[in-house]
Amino acid sequence: MTVPIEYYVLLSMALFCIGLFGILTRRNALMFLMSVELMLNAANINLIAFAFYHGNLTGQVFALFTMALAAAEVAVGLGIILVLYRNFRDVDVTVPTTMRW
């Protein structure tokens, strides 16, 4: 007994919507990173589900690349958050208007 692909798509859609809601409503930079991770995981679920549905490994390979991208994004994002906290003593993304060009 296999799980229908529609369930995977619904789960992915729910995760993506939660991540999008987090990006649009939060001001905390850590919440931004967590929301982007949720959106990337939603994309990974879709890639793997459709790869399984079509019987090839292409989606799984793309999911591995997406995971590597997410790891690099977290490393750069945490560096930016540390600089933000060091300069402004807060991780609110609306505070550092002086960091603009």
Side-chain angles (χ1 to χ4, degrees):
M1 182 170 157
T2 62
V3 178
I5 197 164
E6 291 86 11
Y7 293 159
Y8 291 114
V9 172
L10 286 174
L11 173 66
S12 175
M13 181 187 66
L15 280 177
F16 192 85
C17 288
I18 291 169
L20 185 64
F21 179 77
I23 285 178
L24 293 176
T25 59
R26 305 290 181 193
R27 294 180 184 217
N28 190 340
L30 290 173
M31 289 297 189
F32 267 38
L33 282 178
M34 290 173 57
S35 297
V36 169
E37 289 296 321
L38 274 176
M39 292 170 72
L40 287 173
N41 284 331
N44 282 342
I45 289 172
N46 265 337
L47 288 170
I48 292 172
F50 282 109
F52 179 72
Y53 180 73
H54 290 293
N56 59 12
L57 295 176
T58 307
Q60 294 178 7
V61 171
F62 278 120
L64 284 174
F65 283 123
T66 307
M67 284 190 241
L69 175 82
E73 175 255 331
V74 166
V76 171
L78 284 177
I80 292 171
I81 289 172
L82 286 174
V83 169
L84 185 70
Y85 184 76
R86 188 181 307 151
N87 290 337
F88 298 102
R89 297 288 179 217
D90 196 12
V91 289
D92 188 2
V93 293
T94 60
V95 172
T97 57
T98 59
M99 288 182 75
R100 294 183 186 163
W101 289 92

